[in-house]
Amino acid sequence: MHTQTAAAPALRRFADAADYRKRFIVREQIDRYLPGGRHFIDEGEIGAALAGAACAPANDPARIRAILAKSRAIETLLPEEAAALIEVTDRDLLEEMAETALAIKRAVYDNRIVMFAPLYMSNLCVNRCAYCGFRCGNEAQKRRMLTMEEVREEIGVLAGKIGHKRLIAVYGEHPDTSTEYIAETIRTAYAHLVRSPRGAEVGIRRVNVNAAPLPVEDLRVLKTVGIGTFQVFQETYHRETYRRLHPAGTVKGDYDWRTTAFHRALEAGVDDVGMGVLYGLYDWKFELLASICHARDLERQFGIGPHTISFPRLEPASGTDLPTTSPYLIDDETFRRIVIVTRLSVPYTGMIVTCRERPESRDACVRCGITQMDASSNIAIKGYSDFASEQHQEKDRQQFVLSDTRTLEQMIAHLAREGIITSFCTAGYRCGRTGGCIMDALKTGQEGKFCKINAVLTFREWLDDFATPETRALCEPVLNAELEQVRATLPKFYPTVKEHYDRICAGERDLFF
Ligand code: SAM
Ligand code: SF4
């Protein structure tokens, strides 16, 4: 299903890192998305929206409820509307916002959290981002890129022992790990099938990618090998801060190349794109409004907004003190506010909070509308197969330090106690429900029923293939309740769902809607 059919465009090759830095960016593939030279991140407009909200009465229930009604109608908010939500201080109104955020998440994505795992493929990097342990010149970092045999070893643990079905594959930026390497790792990950502890054939069904911005031709290559979401974090939308943290002369130093990464992806047909701000680098209010402006521009130019928004927050990393000295670090309360306002502002989007966060903070975010989490994560290069425990961390082999080291099984049990079903669904893009098509389905609530059904089917698989008897006993009532809801609320689908479910119980795998 992921094999290439069309001929791949010829990719440029580079003599060395210096040559790569000089020649990688295609200027024309920036300019065409910034008509008239006008950038969609307009700092003046964002500043005005924030100033306007700061001057207006902060806790006007009528105004806030009118904005919440727009969110419930799954309409993207204007920056000034999001700014009004940012300024709310009244506790009751804040709780109303949180409840609305969760209600929207349930309406769009049903009662499930999708699980994934990061797989770090390489920490070779030509850039010098001030906050990152992988930056070029950080002698403390042990450098390596996975061979294809090593990718298979990592998949052996992730898919065969832990039970993951979807990955976010992560790469530094370097000519040795350019598009051909990324494509080969994706192909390898999909192709490697292994046995679960109970003998089922299992493998990775969706490979999302977090990598540097790419030219259109390169993105077309990734499309042919079955890339899921193409994720690029903007880090900061504030130009001056961006310039300070990403030195001139590095590829990443080009703000416009990065801000137009998704425009190129959408043009290339990679239509699930994943945004993110690295919170802690600059004023969170500015960043939040800027990310909404980014989403709105994608909607305007392509009719497709972000498939996901992530919320990385600055964490300790080797060789940098920025994660403790930055004046813009945020507390958990603010983090939660960011998650709530984002859910309300871009109501259709998937939202991801990773193991960078402490368990309590992640748990609070589950109650405010996030849709995806990772668990059993190890971000050391070759960490899954080298370390006996998934919770083992080594600062010099990883980009930053993780705060939530719960295993997948612990996480699933925790969610089940809250009445939430874990999903390993990868059906959307395999059924062609991506981009504009899934946007419509999300906005009209149609996608939610597929979320529910596929959560039921994939959770059944995981419980049968990987769960201990205790976890299974804990989770069966949640699964049964969801199946019962399918019967009661989706009677047309139920007979086929039940038939698939029974086939899975009998040992068949990978049945989806
Ligand atoms: N090298 C590519 C790039 O920079 O776009 C790809 C991914 S980089 C390995 C993944 C992301 O990790 C970065 O985009 C950044 O947001 C995040 N990151 C870097 N340093 C971090 C830190 N100290 N704490 C938390 N997240 C960090
Ligand atoms: Fe390299 Fe990405 Fe780290 Fe920057 S954030 S140093 S580009 S790996």
Side-chain angles (χ1 to χ4, degrees):
M1 128 172 267
H2 302 294
T3 47
Q4 184 172 331
T5 45
L11 296 171
R12 285 173 301 160
R13 293 179 190 283
F14 302 94
D16 54 25
D19 183 41
Y20 174 82
R21 270 195 294 269
K22 207 164 66 210
R23 296 200 302 122
F24 191 67
I25 294 172
V26 188
R27 192 59 46 193
E28 191 271 323
Q29 292 188 14
I30 297 174
D31 295 343
R32 65 172 175 251
Y33 308 115
L34 304 175
R38 193 177 143 77
H39 203 291
F40 49 86
I41 303 297
D42 182 329
E43 294 189 4
E45 272 177 23
I46 294 173
L50 287 171
C55 294
N59 298 301
D60 175 356
R63 163 118 167 99
I64 297 303
R65 285 183 188 134
I67 296 171
L68 295 184
K70 193 172 169 187
S71 307
R72 271 197 299 273
I74 320 295
E75 283 181 49
T76 310
L77 297 187
L78 295 165
E80 50 271 31
E81 292 167 332
L85 299 181
I86 283 175
E87 291 303 326
V88 170
T89 53
D90 178 78
R91 296 237 57 95
D92 291 342
L93 219 40
L94 270 174
E95 270 331 288
E96 207 172 312
M97 284 165 53
E99 281 163 21
T100 308
L102 184 58
I104 290 170
K105 182 258 168 169
R106 289 209 165 129
V108 178
Y109 289 98
D110 209 81
N111 177 38
R112 57 77 166 145
I113 294 283
V114 167
M115 282 290 166
F116 70 94
L119 174 52
Y120 274 65
M121 299 289 191
S122 162
N123 62 359
L124 274 54
C125 197
V126 294
N127 294 313
R128 294 197 300 277
C129 311
Y131 42 82
C132 178
F134 288 176
R135 74 191 174 285
C136 178
N138 178 17
E139 302 292 336
Q141 190 73 202
K142 295 172 191 150
R143 306 282 167 176
R144 66 180 302 172
M145 56 193 272
L146 294 183
T147 64
M148 293 312 123
E149 190 44 43
E150 290 170 335
V151 172
R152 283 188 277 273
E153 282 177 43
E154 295 284 89
I155 301 292
V157 179
L158 282 162
K161 296 209 165 76
I162 303 172
H164 277 296
K165 304 276 187 271
R166 55 160 78 205
L167 299 180
I168 178 84
V170 186
Y171 309 78
E173 181 166 20
H174 195 276
D176 290 352
T177 58
S178 61
T179 302
E180 280 157 351
Y181 174 80
I182 297 175
E184 199 184 351
T185 53
I186 295 175
R187 266 193 236 103
T188 303
Y190 280 131
H192 192 55
L193 300 177
V194 290
R195 293 277 161 195
S196 78
R198 298 196 183 110
E201 189 179 70
V202 290
I204 296 299
R205 299 173 184 164
R206 178 172 174 125
V207 182
N208 300 327
V209 166
N210 183 312
L214 294 169
V216 173
E217 300 71 29
D218 296 50
L219 288 154
R220 289 204 176 105
V221 171
L222 298 189
K223 168 90 177 159
T224 64
V225 295
I227 184 177
T229 306
F230 181 56
Q231 195 181 62
V232 177
F233 297 155
Q234 180 53 37
E235 325 299 13
T236 173
Y237 285 96
H238 187 249
R239 263 186 198 272
E240 174 51 26
T241 307
Y242 192 91
R243 192 195 55 71
R244 202 162 34 76
L245 300 177
H246 307 100
T250 61
V251 189
K252 191 146 167 183
D254 193 316
Y255 177 93
D256 291 344
W257 179 243
R258 199 162 184 93
T259 43
T260 50
F262 299 142
H263 296 69
R264 286 187 294 282
L266 293 169
E267 180 172 327
V270 176
D271 49 13
D272 282 355
V273 295
M275 294 178 19
V277 162
L278 182 51
Y279 281 99
L281 298 179
Y282 186 63
D283 175 38
W284 67 272
K285 296 181 181 179
F286 175 91
E287 303 285 24
L288 208 172
L289 292 205
S291 62
I292 295 167
C293 294
H294 195 171
R296 292 182 66 89
D297 194 67
L298 297 175
E299 289 175 22
R300 190 180 62 79
Q301 294 206 40
F302 297 92
I304 301 173
H307 183 66
T308 55
I309 297 182
S310 298
F311 303 88
R313 173 156 58 151
L314 204 50
E315 297 293 337
S318 82
T320 169
D321 60 2
L322 197 66
T324 48
T325 58
S326 168
Y328 297 108
L329 300 177
I330 52 171
D331 59 19
D332 286 357
E333 191 57 37
T334 306
F335 188 75
R336 179 171 175 266
R337 171 80 67 107
I338 291 168
V339 169
I340 293 170
V341 176
T342 303
R343 166 55 66 220
L344 297 169
S345 302
V346 193
Y348 57 79
T349 199
M351 302 205 318
I352 304 174
V353 175
T354 69
C355 290
R356 289 178 181 86
E357 289 302 307
R358 288 180 305 105
E360 311 81 75
S361 174
R362 288 226 296 175
D363 294 348
C365 292
V366 170
R367 293 187 281 272
C368 304
I370 67 154
T371 57
Q372 294 190 32
M373 303 172 93
D374 56 333
S376 279
S377 296
N378 195 308
I379 60 171
I381 313 280
K382 204 163 173 300
Y384 294 105
S385 40
D386 274 2
F387 304 140
S389 150
E390 298 135 54
Q391 284 139 312
H392 182 101
Q393 296 195 59
E394 273 184 23
K395 204 174 175 186
D396 296 343
R397 274 175 68 172
Q398 57 196 59
Q399 193 188 12
F400 47 83
V401 179
L402 297 180
S403 299
D404 188 349
T405 55
R406 283 177 289 185
T407 64
L408 179 60
E409 181 143 22
Q410 287 168 341
M411 203 63 230
I412 285 173
H414 171 75
L415 292 173
R417 279 187 211 100
E418 304 258 314
I420 297 168
I421 183 169
T422 295
S423 175
F424 294 90
C425 171
T426 55
Y429 87 117
R430 297 157 91 204
C431 298
R433 290 200 302 274
T434 60
C437 167
I438 199 171
M439 293 285 291
D440 291 342
L442 290 168
K443 286 181 175 174
T444 55
Q446 289 303 306
E447 187 61 15
K449 65 175 182 253
F450 294 113
C451 293
K452 186 186 255 334
I453 292 170
N454 290 314
V456 165
L457 298 178
T458 55
F459 198 41
R460 179 72 275 156
E461 288 184 334
W462 190 88
L463 289 180
D464 287 353
D465 292 340
F466 296 96
T468 58
E470 300 75 44
T471 305
R472 201 172 150 153
L474 175 73
C475 294
E476 292 291 352
V478 178
L479 181 52
N480 288 335
E482 293 293 329
L483 189 57
E484 174 52 27
Q485 274 189 27
V486 176
R487 196 187 62 73
T489 60
L490 301 168
K492 268 206 237 146
F493 285 85
Y494 182 72
T496 321
V497 174
K498 186 64 170 61
E499 187 249 344
H500 280 31
Y501 185 88
D502 291 340
R503 281 164 58 192
I504 288 171
C505 293
E508 259 190 82
R509 290 290 171 267
D510 207 11
L511 303 172
F512 54 87
F513 277 70

